[in-house]
Amino acid sequence: MNANNKVNVMVMAVGSPLGQSILKAVKLSSYVDNLYAADISERAAGLHFENVQPVILPLVKENSYFDELTDLIERNDIKVIFPTISVEHEFFAKYASYFHERKIDIVSCGSSVFEICNDKYESMQYLRLNGIAAPATVLGCEHDAIEEFITRYGFPLVIKPRNGASSNDVFVIKSKDRLLALLDAYPRDYFVVQEYLEDPKDYTAGVYVSSSGDFNDVIIFERDLKFGLSYSGKIIIDENIKKYCLSIANALKSTYSINIQFKMMAGQPYCYEINPRLSSTTSIRAHFGFNEPDMIIRDIIGINLLREQKPAQAGMFMRYWEEIYQEEN
């Protein structure tokens, strides 16, 4: 660590909306010395952001990945790394002891939290077993359980991949014929079947818990979903929802950031998905004073987590496309 309490930081997969969102938030931190942006493609937009050092890495599955990555980290004295996509989190979990021995902090949840949250069936079962409101969920391969589920909850219902992201292959089903047709069109262990939550509104919350557990906070958005992302939304201030979100973090014993997606039923939040990582709304939260990457970096280097900027109590966001151009002569 530098004498001025600044560290060199790397954000990965900056061709993705999530990587770019994290990168934007990290750029706002006062505790970053040199910022490295990594991706497998030179056409990743995040490589071309101002005041970042671009890095091209091979695919994680390539034999050269470990050597190229660790050489880069050592040469540039990188001390904090933000993985983005699942395969990166899995890689760093596999080599956790290597990076820990070298005092390199990987911003990733513990393996147990990742395993629970990344499984849409196990995570809902875990919440319900801990007395936390969540929709009933069964496995798509359990024929008898599905019949009982239909009898109890009827239609519509939701099917989604047991392991998945970005709203891919998520369907609202209104008939048994349609349900069976979709279940039969994929491997039967691919889907979970979930109780349909009728609230037309959708919510996302960022939950931050410090490594010591003595600091926590929550930011909540009501949002519109398009293209698998939070496309627009507004800040929600609600102490009961905040307590509900913290109860999930406490049950998981998570530290740093998790992202909770939920709906409201009769005034009660029902979490239908937990992402054990930072969110694609990270940069939006940072704009409104809830900068999770900055809080994580300060936590790592031992700077007091008393907030430097009070989160906004009201506000809304709207997303739009923007281009980066590199012209060649």
Side-chain angles (χ1 to χ4, degrees), residues 291-303:
N291 191 332
E292 293 154 285
D294 178 64
M295 288 189 280
I296 291 167
I297 292 167
R298 284 192 286 147
D299 193 332
I300 287 169
I301 63 179
I303 300 296

Side-chain angles (χ1 to χ4, degrees), residues 16-304:
S16 67
L18 175 55
Q20 292 161 20
S21 187
I22 296 170
L23 191 61
K24 291 175 185 177
V26 173
K27 282 168 60 68
L28 297 174
S29 175
S30 301
Y31 302 99
V32 177
D33 196 7
N34 296 296
L35 176 55
Y36 295 83
D39 202 89
I40 61 170
S41 171
E42 65 180 7
R43 294 198 297 271
L47 299 177
H48 304 281
F49 284 14
E50 292 184 355
N51 301 318
V52 303
Q53 306 292 323
V55 174
I56 304 294
L57 288 171
L59 292 167
V60 175
K61 65 182 180 181
E62 292 186 15
N63 293 334
S64 61
Y65 183 80
F66 181 89
D67 289 340
E68 289 193 35
L69 175 66
T70 54
D71 178 64
L72 169 76
I73 292 168
E74 184 177 348
R75 282 189 290 106
N76 296 285
D77 194 29
I78 295 169
K79 292 299 184 185
V80 181
I81 300 174
F82 287 85
T84 298
I85 57 179
S86 293
V87 67
E88 293 168 347
H89 286 278
E90 291 165 3
F91 170 85
F92 285 108
K94 180 179 179 181
Y95 293 101
S97 60
Y98 175 92
F99 294 100
H100 179 73
E101 288 169 5
R102 288 157 180 79
K103 298 182 179 179
I104 298 164
D105 284 278
I106 310 300
V107 181
S108 187
C109 65
S111 59
S112 63
V113 175
F114 183 85
E115 289 171 7
I116 293 169
C117 297
N118 208 42
D119 186 318
K120 304 296 190 296
Y121 174 74
E122 292 296 340
S123 57
M124 295 302 101
Q125 298 302 106
Y126 190 87
L127 293 184
R128 289 164 70 90
L129 286 170
N130 280 275
I132 297 171
T137 306
V138 296
L139 296 173
C141 58
E142 295 184 346
H143 300 273
D144 292 343
I146 289 173
E147 290 291 342
E148 293 175 8
F149 189 92
I150 293 171
T151 300
R152 181 169 183 178
Y153 297 101
F155 292 93
L157 51 76
V158 174
I159 64 171
K160 62 177 67 173
R162 184 171 181 175
N163 304 101
S166 301
S167 301
N168 293 327
D169 292 340
V170 177
F171 303 97
V172 177
I173 307 298
K174 297 181 180 179
S175 72
K176 187 173 180 179
D177 288 344
R178 172 67 170 160
L179 172 64
L180 296 178
L182 274 170
L183 292 178
D184 289 339
Y186 294 78
R188 287 301 289 259
D189 60 354
Y190 180 67
F191 282 119
V192 297
V193 180
Q194 193 169 83
E195 177 186 0
Y196 179 73
L197 302 176
E198 294 183 1
D199 184 6
K201 297 178 180 179
D202 198 80
Y203 301 84
T204 183
V207 185
Y208 181 86
V209 180
S210 66
S211 59
S212 64
D214 59 3
F215 177 88
N216 60 59
D217 206 352
V218 178
I219 188 168
I220 306 159
F221 288 115
E222 179 190 323
R223 63 171 182 175
D224 300 307
L225 272 168
K226 287 186 180 180
F227 318 116
L229 296 170
S230 298
Y231 184 71
S232 61
K234 64 180 182 179
I235 294 172
I236 299 294
I237 303 296
D238 188 305
E239 285 301 314
N240 288 329
I241 294 176
K242 180 177 178 179
K243 290 177 183 177
Y244 172 83
C245 293
L246 285 172
S247 74
I248 293 175
N250 290 335
L252 291 167
K253 298 180 174 60
S254 67
T255 55
Y256 295 158
S257 294
I258 60 171
N259 181 46
I260 296 170
Q261 298 171 12
F262 64 94
K263 289 182 176 290
M264 298 293 293
M265 301 290 289
Q268 168 67 53
Y270 275 74
C271 169
Y272 63 84
E273 192 163 312
I274 313 166
N275 291 314
R277 54 167 174 75
L278 290 161
S279 162
S280 63
T281 57
T282 295
S283 58
I284 295 166
R285 298 169 182 177
H287 172 85
F288 288 116
F290 192 91
N291 191 332
E292 293 154 285
D294 178 64
M295 288 189 280
I296 291 167
I297 292 167
R298 284 192 286 147
D299 193 332
I300 287 169
I301 63 179
I303 300 296
N304 195 316

